[in-house]
């Protein structure tokens, strides 16, 4: 893993506005993109965030681009996301021992299929950092030296009790992802010596959670398909391990806080 800028529990308390602005930009650098709601309402105490996004734009560190993800009829769906500019990326590349790619600098729009899932993970990460439930986090681009075949989580958390959690979300925006995440969880948590103490799954719908309970029954065989399966013959199968003590599920409406 790369060394990282320390973002402390209860971040923002007693810090200067300039420092908070840098922390917000660093947050975007780690995740790739974020939203006004997360930066202004979840990441820091609200009394510290007035004018924060505007300050990022004024410094030339970040810009706002259209987001065409999710259901546009839902009021809480972001219409835009915030990404760093080349100047913003240059501010933080040298803060880390290892430089990782930041392809979002070339984006003119966001149309990621799992945008809602990843923003939901960001929101939960921000909530738990602010309350002190977790001490640190790593996004996939920050997890270095991992086996290319190893399925990385949406985010990795280090809790205040010293546990390492793999964190993933399913808000219903990509149904094919559900099968892939079940495979990922089975591989990730089924090893004799798994990297993570527990796996956390976040969702906004009870029906989704029920589906995971059905799919992830211990001993069940999950097929691995080719990109375009022929005659529905799987390339291989993965057996679901007993996740009863390894996985914790969180259910909350979009926008509601999720705290460990």
């Amino acid at each position: 893993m790369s060394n990282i800028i320390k973002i402390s529990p209860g971040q923002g308390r007693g810090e200067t506005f300039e420092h908070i602005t840098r922390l917000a930009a660093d947050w975007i650098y780690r995740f790739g993109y974020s939203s006004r709601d997360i930066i202004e309402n979840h990441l820091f105490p609200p009394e510290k965030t007035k004018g924060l996004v505007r300050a990022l734009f004024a410094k030339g560190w970040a810009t706002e681009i259209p987001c065409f993800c999710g259901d546009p009829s839902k009021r809480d769906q972001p219409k835009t996301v915030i990404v760093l500019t080349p100047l913003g990326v240059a501010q933080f590349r040298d803060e880390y021992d290892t430089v990782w790619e930041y392809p979002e600098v070339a984006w003119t729009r966001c149309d990621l299929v799992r945008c809602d899932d990843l923003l939901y993970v960001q929101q939960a990460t921000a909530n738990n950092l602010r309350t002190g439930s977790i001490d640190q986090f790593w996004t996939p681009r920050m997890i270095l030296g991992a086996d290319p075949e190893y399925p990385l989580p949406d985010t990795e958390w280090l809790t205040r009790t010293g546990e390492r959690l793999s964190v993933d979300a399913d808000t219903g925006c990509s149904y094919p992802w559900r099968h892939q995440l079940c495979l990922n969880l089975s591989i990730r948590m089924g090893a004799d010596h798994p990297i993570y103490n527990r796996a956390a799954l976040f969702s906004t719908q009870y029906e989704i959670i029920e589906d995971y309970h059905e799919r992830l029954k211990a001993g069940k065989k999950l097929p691995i398909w080719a990109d375009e399966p022929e005659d529905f013959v799987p390339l291989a199968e993965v057996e679901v391990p007993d996740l009863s003590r390894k996985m914790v599920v969180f259910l909350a409406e979009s926008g509601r806080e999720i705290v460990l």
Side-chain angles (χ1 to χ4, degrees):
M1 293 178 186
S2 174
N3 287 341
I4 57 178
I5 298 170
K6 178 66 174 175
I7 299 183
S8 302
Q11 56 193 8
R13 293 185 175 88
E15 303 286 359
T16 65
F17 185 75
E18 178 69 21
H19 185 60
I20 291 173
T21 305
R22 288 191 64 82
L23 291 180
D26 176 66
W27 175 272
I28 299 168
Y29 183 49
R30 297 193 207 186
F31 279 103
Y33 64 96
S34 194
S35 70
R36 284 178 176 264
D37 178 57
I38 289 169
I39 291 173
E40 295 183 342
N41 299 324
H42 296 277
L43 185 54
F44 305 103
E47 65 272 12
K48 298 287 186 177
T49 60
K50 185 176 181 180
L52 180 56
V53 171
R54 187 166 60 249
L56 289 170
F57 295 161
K59 287 179 175 293
W61 291 355
T63 188
E64 205 163 21
I65 60 174
C67 179
F68 296 93
C69 310
D71 184 349
S73 66
K74 293 182 179 179
R75 295 179 59 186
D76 59 353
Q77 294 290 334
K79 302 297 188 295
T80 60
V81 294
I82 300 170
V83 297
L84 294 186
T85 63
L87 179 60
V89 173
Q91 288 288 321
F92 297 95
R93 275 197 190 279
D94 294 337
E95 297 280 359
Y96 294 86
D97 290 344
T98 302
V99 175
W100 57 82
E101 295 299 317
Y102 188 84
E104 293 84 359
V105 74
W107 285 8
T108 57
R109 55 182 280 164
C110 176
D111 52 11
L112 294 179
V113 174
R114 297 191 58 235
C115 179
D116 289 351
D117 290 350
L118 301 177
L119 286 175
Y120 196 50
V121 167
Q122 280 195 44
Q123 177 186 309
T125 303
N127 293 340
N128 282 277
L129 270 175
R130 196 187 68 250
T131 61
S133 299
I134 62 176
D135 283 341
Q136 201 48 263
F137 70 94
W138 293 264
T139 61
R141 70 186 67 195
M142 300 174 69
I143 303 175
L144 306 175
D147 186 329
E149 301 298 320
Y150 186 81
L152 295 175
D154 290 336
T155 305
E156 176 183 315
W157 288 359
L158 177 66
T159 72
R160 60 185 171 189
T161 60
E163 283 192 314
R164 289 176 69 183
L165 267 64
S166 75
V167 179
D168 294 284
D170 185 340
T171 64
C173 60
S174 175
Y175 187 77
W177 167 249
R178 197 166 304 169
H179 177 72
Q180 185 60 52
L181 180 51
C182 287
L183 284 171
N184 292 353
L185 288 167
S186 298
I187 295 170
R188 196 185 301 150
M189 304 308 296
D192 292 336
H193 301 286
I195 296 174
Y196 301 103
N197 301 102
R198 288 187 297 164
L201 173 63
F202 297 94
S203 187
T204 54
Q205 300 176 41
Y206 182 71
E207 293 77 10
I208 293 176
I209 298 302
E210 282 190 315
D211 195 9
Y212 275 98
H213 279 304
E214 179 62 32
R215 291 168 180 260
L216 291 173
K217 289 182 175 178
K220 193 168 184 177
K221 304 288 188 180
L222 299 177
I224 298 177
W225 305 104
D227 292 337
E228 294 183 6
E230 297 180 5
D231 301 323
F232 299 98
V233 178
L235 298 176
E237 292 182 329
V238 173
E239 183 173 333
V240 178
D242 184 358
L243 297 173
S244 57
R245 296 181 181 273
K246 295 181 180 179
M247 191 167 82
V248 58
V249 176
F250 294 88
L251 177 68
E253 295 176 3
S254 181
R256 296 287 295 276
E257 289 198 353
I258 299 176
V259 178
L260 294 179

